[in-house]
Amino acid sequence: MKKIRVDLNSRGYDIIITKNSLASLGGIIKRLKIGNDAVVITNTTIKDLFGAKIGRSLLSAGIDVKFKTVPDGEKSKSEKYCIKLLNEISRFDRLGRRIFIIALGGGVIGDLAGFVASIYKRGVPYVQVPTTLLAQVDSSIGGKVAIDLEIGKNLAGSFYQPSLVFSDVTALKTLPRHDLISGLAEVIKYGIISSPGLFYFVRKNLKKILKNDTGTLERIIHDCASVKAGLVEKDERDNKNMRVVLNFGHTIGHAIEAAAGYSKGYSHGQAVALGMLAASFISVESGLLSRSEYFKIKSLIKDAGLPVVLKGLNLKDIMLAQEHDKKFIHGRNRFVLPKRIGKVIVKENIPEPLIKEAIKSLLWN
């Protein structure tokens, strides 16, 4: 068991990275003293895989438990399911109960459940139990919770820190291969923004990662979580121009997701991979990144099984979706651009023709 502390004074919490330990979750939560009545928000697939074990663990710790399921996929991260969950939780709640929420699943579940926790009774505690690689390395950490609106991704959200992040690496054994690959986009992102060692470790150990080797995955989850914890400690609410580097690949990535209607045509990781390539293209054309470094990035993305070609979407729809991205500041776009592997900078007001060329470069591959 490895533990990383996110030091935010009274809002601080631990990230626990462990193996074969879901049965211990109830006792760990009990020691947090956050409540005696758990609402576990998940989907039916994850509930079938892990619900019984987690339910037994909570009950054995003296915690009452109620499971609430939503459909799988990004479309669950919506006002419809948010309001539905709030009403269902209110019917479970009653005098004497001390409600807290457990987000059991991937990034969609974590964002939705965390947002519900942030607004139910103006905030109740919640615990992240991520079951995907993407969630374990990134989305479960840092307290950004949100739902999507029709016009764009994560436009209704809060900064609301969990009481615990509990990542059991062996849960990834059940992960479909395409979801494991999707999560690798965020791992590669961490290497590019902060850690050349991580980038080259992934490149060297890609076969082990794709075979779901637990020890290798534990290493990369720990490294990514450590980077994110450090950035969150310095810039919890993303207003000091430090945490923003975590958005590398997300400006155009989110636009691709929105233009695709949040369909299964492009997962979050696939869209971010394409967004990282587009940002790297802008960086090359701006004289910031060498072409050799660009091709190293592109090669790892491709070798990981992530897309390097954009299909089924057009330039106009992606540009329109990008205009609604919340990373625009007072009408100015903002991109995270790599200078080299392990070092990025933030640039505003990238010329629109260059952004279009970057997106076209994905169509031309």
Side-chain angles (χ1 to χ4, degrees):
M1 182 180 290
K2 297 180 179 179
K3 188 182 292 185
I4 299 166
R5 182 69 181 173
V6 184
D7 189 2
L8 297 170
N9 299 316
S10 62
R11 295 178 307 285
Y13 54 94
D14 289 329
I15 303 165
I16 293 175
I17 302 165
T18 185
K19 296 178 285 191
N20 294 311
S21 297
L22 286 177
S24 67
L25 180 63
I28 292 170
I29 291 176
K30 188 70 173 179
R31 291 192 287 275
L32 296 176
K33 298 181 180 180
I34 59 174
N36 298 313
D37 304 279
V39 177
V40 181
I41 298 175
T42 188
N43 62 47
T44 53
T45 301
I46 300 300
K47 183 184 176 186
D48 289 346
L49 288 168
F50 307 114
K53 182 176 285 188
I54 286 175
R56 287 194 299 270
S57 178
L58 292 167
L59 289 171
S60 67
I63 299 171
D64 194 10
V65 58
K66 192 80 169 177
F67 283 86
K68 295 295 178 184
T69 60
V70 297
D72 194 13
E74 186 77 23
K75 294 200 174 189
S76 291
K77 214 171 89 176
S78 66
E79 64 266 35
K80 172 185 174 182
Y81 287 103
C82 177
I83 296 300
K84 183 174 184 289
L85 286 168
L86 288 168
N87 280 314
E88 290 177 348
I89 293 168
S90 70
R91 287 191 287 271
F92 175 62
D93 201 358
R94 61 175 181 266
L95 187 66
R97 287 199 186 277
R98 292 177 58 218
I99 294 285
F100 67 95
I101 288 170
I102 297 176
L104 175 64
V108 168
I109 292 294
D111 280 2
L112 172 63
F115 184 66
V116 168
S118 77
I119 60 175
Y120 182 67
K121 290 187 170 179
R122 298 189 176 90
V124 295
Y126 78 109
V127 171
Q128 291 273 13
V129 185
T131 60
T132 66
L133 179 60
L134 188 151
Q136 290 190 3
V137 301
D138 188 75
S139 62
S140 66
I141 304 162
K144 278 190 177 181
V145 295
I147 59 173
D148 302 333
L149 302 181
E150 288 181 8
I151 202 69
K153 188 177 171 75
N154 296 333
L155 289 179
S158 309
F159 286 94
Y160 195 66
Q161 301 295 342
S163 299
L164 171 72
V165 177
F166 188 88
S167 292
D168 190 322
V169 181
T170 44
L172 303 182
K173 292 291 185 184
T174 65
L175 198 63
R177 183 179 173 85
H178 62 83
D179 287 337
L180 182 70
I181 290 171
S182 182
L184 267 176
E186 294 286 357
V187 176
I188 293 168
K189 177 195 79 175
Y190 278 102
I192 296 169
I193 68 171
S194 181
S195 176
L198 175 60
F199 183 92
Y200 291 109
F201 178 84
V202 171
R203 191 165 79 164
K204 181 179 178 181
N205 293 277
L206 198 52
K207 287 184 179 178
K208 285 184 178 180
I209 294 167
L210 293 174
K211 288 181 180 177
N212 215 314
D213 180 75
T214 299
T216 309
L217 288 170
E218 188 176 22
R219 155 78 188 269
I220 64 176
I221 291 164
H222 179 271
D223 286 0
C224 293
S226 296
V227 172
K228 187 160 188 181
L231 288 167
V232 170
E233 287 176 351
K234 294 173 184 174
D235 188 9
E236 180 185 2
R237 299 186 67 84
D238 203 2
N239 56 10
K240 297 178 182 177
N241 219 30
M242 297 177 185
R243 184 172 174 166
V244 67
V245 299
L246 294 166
N247 289 327
F248 174 56
H250 287 62
T251 303
I252 289 176
H254 281 174
I256 290 170
E257 286 186 273
Y262 306 115
S263 70
K264 292 189 176 180
Y266 284 101
S267 69
H268 177 69
Q270 289 173 324
V272 166
L274 289 164
M276 289 192 292
L277 281 177
S280 298
F281 178 93
I282 291 170
S283 195
V284 170
E285 295 300 309
S286 301
L288 298 170
L289 180 70
S290 72
R291 290 193 180 275
S292 64
E293 293 276 279
Y294 169 81
F295 284 115
K296 286 179 184 177
I297 293 168
K298 183 176 180 178
S299 176
L300 182 54
I301 288 171
K302 184 177 181 180
D303 290 346
L306 290 157
V308 295
V309 178
L310 180 59
K311 298 178 180 178
L313 297 175
N314 61 59
L315 176 63
K316 180 181 177 183
D317 289 342
I318 295 169
M319 290 299 294
L320 181 63
Q322 190 205 212
E323 290 176 5
H324 295 284
D325 191 275
K326 67 185 187 308
K327 289 178 282 299
F328 273 57
I329 305 296
H330 306 302
R332 301 191 303 272
N333 64 50
R334 183 172 60 170
F335 280 79
V336 180
L337 302 177
K339 293 186 72 176
R340 61 180 182 274
I341 292 166
K343 177 69 174 178
V344 293
I345 61 170
V346 181
K347 295 280 282 186
E348 294 182 2
N349 277 335
I350 301 298
E352 185 175 298
L354 181 52
I355 298 172
K356 288 181 177 179
E357 286 302 308
I359 296 169
K360 287 179 182 177
S361 76
L362 302 174
L363 300 169
W364 292 336
N365 272 291

